[in-house]
């Protein structure tokens, strides 16, 4: 398990940063952390989590884990105590963020909706800052491989449109007769219909 600091989102004042646990490529927060994140009481967060599970939005056995934590002992100075604490993964954090009514909850939804919109419109979302600082370098190879696969698919598209190897440009696609594009366009439409 890795202890790390990660910005889930940042409000206009730049204030919201949380200590989180990263394991299995997800973020783990307690109800107390989520209460601070969304500016609500722990009781409110607990109620939202209970409703998420009651409505079968998420499977509790998949998104909840107990982690052993050590804290200062309340009655004995200089001593510590260990106990199991429930942590909730990123899926729960997002679900709670879409339910909670607070300024921070609204800011979270604005941030999340911007990312979702960017993904739907562009087909991808990147956290530029994480790549610039080197915090996502373990994903850089994966990103390169995916781009390589897209470029290969692009070449296949051009070949299916009967574009010459020398004319692999947007202009060449625009000049391709429409009847040659119908088959490929139909495949794209079919893929999108199935995915939705």
């Amino acid at each position: 398990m890795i202890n790390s600091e990660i910005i889930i989102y940042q409000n206009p004042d730049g204030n919201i940063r949380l200590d989180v646990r990263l394991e299995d490529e997800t973020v783990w927060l307690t109800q107390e952390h989520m209460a601070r994140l969304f500016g609500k009481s722990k009781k409110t967060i607990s109620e939202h989590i209970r409703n998420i599970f009651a409505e079968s939005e998420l499977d509790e056995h998949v998104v909840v884990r107990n982690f052993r934590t050590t804290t200062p002992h309340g009655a004995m100075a200089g001593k510590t105590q260990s106990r199991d604490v429930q942590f909730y993964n990123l899926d729960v954090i997002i679900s709670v963020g879409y339910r909670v009514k607070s300024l921070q909850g609204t800011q979270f939804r604005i941030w999340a909706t911007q990312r979702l919109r960017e993904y739907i419109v562009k087909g991808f979302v990147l956290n530029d800052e994480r790549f610039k600082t080197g915090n996502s370098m373990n994903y850089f190879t994966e990103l390169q491989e995916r781009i390589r696969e897209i470029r290969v698919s692009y070449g296949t598209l051009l070949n299916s449109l009967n574009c010459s190897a020398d004319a692999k440009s947007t202009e060449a696609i625009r000049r391709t007769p429409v009847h040659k594009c119908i088959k490929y366009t139909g495949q794209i439409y079919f893929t999108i219909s199935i995915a939705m």
Side-chain angles (χ1 to χ4, degrees), residues 14-74:
N15 289 333
I16 299 187
R17 295 178 76 104
L18 285 178
D19 290 326
V20 297
R21 293 179 179 269
L22 297 176
E23 185 174 288
D24 298 331
E25 297 185 346
T26 191
V27 175
W28 295 93
L29 297 180
T30 65
Q31 287 185 12
E32 187 176 313
H33 291 141
M34 281 188 270
R36 282 201 331 254
L37 178 64
F38 295 119
K40 297 301 277 184
S41 71
K42 186 177 169 188
K43 179 181 176 186
T44 300
I45 299 300
S46 178
E47 182 180 326
H48 285 305
I49 291 171
R50 210 172 20 257
N51 290 337
I52 288 166
F53 297 145
E55 295 166 11
S56 299
E57 182 177 336
L58 297 171
D59 181 353
E60 184 173 3
H61 301 291
V62 174
V63 298
V64 180
R65 277 209 189 147
N66 285 328
F67 288 105
R68 194 118 186 109
T69 60
T70 304
T71 58
H73 197 288

Side-chain angles (χ1 to χ4, degrees), residues 106-138:
T106 300
Q107 290 169 333
F108 170 80
R109 288 186 293 279
I110 290 168
W111 174 87
T113 301
Q114 288 169 345
R115 304 288 102 43
L116 182 58
R117 183 180 194 288
E118 185 175 358
Y119 177 77
I120 290 170
V121 171
K122 294 181 179 179
F124 69 93
V125 177
L126 282 178
N127 184 333
D128 297 351
E129 289 307 311
R130 285 182 66 187
F131 278 97
K132 288 177 189 174
T133 60
N135 292 336
S136 288
M137 293 317 290
N138 53 329

Side-chain angles (χ1 to χ4, degrees), residues 67-95:
F67 288 105
R68 194 118 186 109
T69 60
T70 304
T71 58
H73 197 288
M76 295 184 236
K79 298 282 184 179
T80 59
Q81 58 188 5
S82 294
R83 64 185 179 99
D84 284 339
V85 177
Q86 281 191 327
F87 280 77
Y88 302 85
N89 80 0
L90 186 57
D91 296 348
V92 178
I93 299 164
I94 291 169
S95 294

Side-chain angles (χ1 to χ4, degrees), residues 154-155 157-159 161-176:
Y154 178 68
L157 164 65
L158 293 175
N159 288 336
L161 297 176
N162 293 327
C163 295
S164 70
D166 299 330
K168 293 183 178 179
S169 68
T170 307
E171 189 57 37
I173 292 172
R174 278 195 211 115
R175 288 193 310 260
T176 302

